[in-house]
Amino acid sequence: MSPNPISLAIVAVLAIFGILLIVLARLVVPGAVLIVLAVTVLAALRMAQQWEQAVVLRAGKFLAVKGPGLFWIVPILDSVTALIDTRLRTTQFVAEQTLTKDTVPVDVDAIIFWMVTDVRRAALEVASYGEAISWAAQTSLREMIGAADLAMLLSNRKAIDEELRQTIDGKTAEWGIVVKSVEIRDVTIPSALQDAMSREAQAQRERQARVILGAAEAEIAHSFAEAALSYADNPVALHLRGMNMLYESVKERGSTIIVPSSAVDSMNLGGLAGITSLARARETSPPDEPGSADG
């Protein structure tokens, strides 16, 4: 643990005053006392940052957890054996060429968020807790991949992340470390398998499209059958429908419709038109005066 700026400043002031007393005032004892005090402050006054805590051992045995801020130790007798960062930390880990439950080799890239909650246990129970976290996470990830299908691994990541977090947290709890979350960043499968899955998805979409098209054609055929039954007993309506379709088609092109005489004769439209004209003429002609027929 390197000296902090505050202790260095105190040491500098005490040392300067001690040297001045010895050189200028010829006061050797007071000056020597100041110099010894400066050396003591340099060795005894320590400082930890806001996110740090120091594990102090006395004669090789655990004494206390100090910090954050300034704290004192007994020189020579005490020692700061570890300075633990208590902030949230991240560790990236991977599992390469790991077989899933359905024997598919995958490469999985994940990241773990963790923090030290028990400084004493993190410093005394495990030699290198950062490295231990990485190995425990990688082992748990491989176990989880071996117990899951590829489809579950690709589609149900939230549940897998939570299961993986609980598994890793169970291993690190005895080290004073809490796992906040685990996130699978990427799942890579072989390119040949990607092509096969793409072809399978395309075939599935084509099958679905054909099913929809068949259902539409069946519905249209049913409608045509009902229409045929309606037109079977009414040939005039059938002819009118054909003429209407012809009219709509020609109307879009801006042409004139010419109705064949055979169509008129088959539908008896000429007789119908004559009867209609005669009725209209009778309605518009004035009534005959009485006795005009005898005149």
Side-chain angles (χ1 to χ4, degrees):
M1 189 174 182
S2 59
N4 59 85
I6 296 177
S7 61
L8 291 176
I10 296 175
V11 167
V13 171
L14 293 176
I16 291 173
F17 274 104
I19 294 173
L20 290 177
L21 289 176
I22 295 174
V23 173
L24 298 179
R26 302 297 179 178
L27 299 175
V28 177
V29 175
V33 171
L34 290 178
I35 293 176
V36 172
L37 183 60
V39 173
T40 303
V41 170
L42 182 63
L45 185 60
R46 302 296 178 89
M47 183 178 69
Q49 302 296 333
Q50 178 63 38
W51 58 87
E52 294 175 337
Q53 287 186 332
V55 178
V56 180
L57 300 181
R58 174 166 293 177
K61 294 183 179 181
F62 176 78
L63 175 64
V65 175
K66 301 295 185 67
L70 295 172
F71 60 94
W72 294 91
I73 63 173
V74 178
I76 301 175
L77 188 62
D78 295 344
S79 64
V80 178
T81 185
L83 197 63
I84 306 298
D85 192 334
T86 58
R87 293 175 294 184
L88 183 67
R89 302 169 69 176
T90 60
T91 300
Q92 182 181 358
F93 57 101
V94 297
E96 298 179 351
Q97 296 296 314
T98 306
L99 292 178
T100 61
K101 187 177 180 180
D102 48 355
T103 65
V104 177
V106 295
D107 296 340
V108 180
D109 182 10
I111 188 169
I112 181 174
F113 297 85
W114 57 277
M115 64 185 303
V116 177
T117 56
D118 191 335
V119 175
R120 175 180 178 177
R121 297 173 69 181
L124 304 180
E125 299 292 338
V126 59
S128 177
Y129 57 87
E131 186 177 356
I133 280 282
S134 179
W135 285 112
Q138 188 176 22
T139 304
S140 300
L141 179 60
R142 288 183 178 274
E143 293 175 354
M144 183 273 301
I145 294 174
D149 295 332
L150 178 61
M152 181 184 298
L153 193 62
L154 295 176
S155 61
N156 198 12
R157 289 194 180 183
K158 289 186 177 180
I160 292 177
D161 290 345
E162 179 61 22
E163 180 182 355
L164 192 58
R165 185 199 68 81
Q166 293 178 0
T167 302
I168 301 174
D169 188 67
K171 295 179 180 179
T172 61
E174 60 184 10
W175 304 336
I177 297 172
V178 173
V179 178
K180 294 296 185 179
S181 65
V182 178
E183 297 180 4
I184 295 178
R185 301 172 58 190
D186 189 23
V187 178
T188 305
I189 60 178
S191 57
L193 182 59
Q194 291 183 15
D195 295 339
M197 293 176 64
S198 177
R199 290 194 299 269
E200 181 182 358
Q202 183 177 359
Q204 183 67 21
R205 287 193 295 268
E206 291 180 356
R207 175 181 176 275
Q208 186 67 21
R210 292 186 179 184
V211 170
I212 295 174
L213 179 60
E217 290 181 352
E219 185 176 353
I220 293 172
H222 181 69
S223 299
F224 281 164
E226 292 181 352
L229 294 176
S230 300
Y231 289 133
D233 298 331
N234 195 348
V236 176
L238 180 60
H239 284 292
L240 288 175
R241 177 183 178 277
M243 291 183 63
N244 182 63
M245 293 177 63
L246 178 62
Y247 171 75
E248 293 294 338
S249 176
V250 175
K251 183 180 178 181
E252 294 179 357
R253 303 178 182 178
S255 304
T256 304
I257 302 176
I258 300 176
V259 181
S261 59
S262 60
V264 176
D265 294 339
S266 63
M267 292 183 291
N268 199 18
L269 295 180
L272 182 61
I275 294 172
T276 305
S277 300
L278 181 59
R280 290 180 180 177
R282 288 182 178 181
E283 290 177 357
T284 56
S285 62
D288 295 339
E289 295 180 0
S292 60
D294 296 336

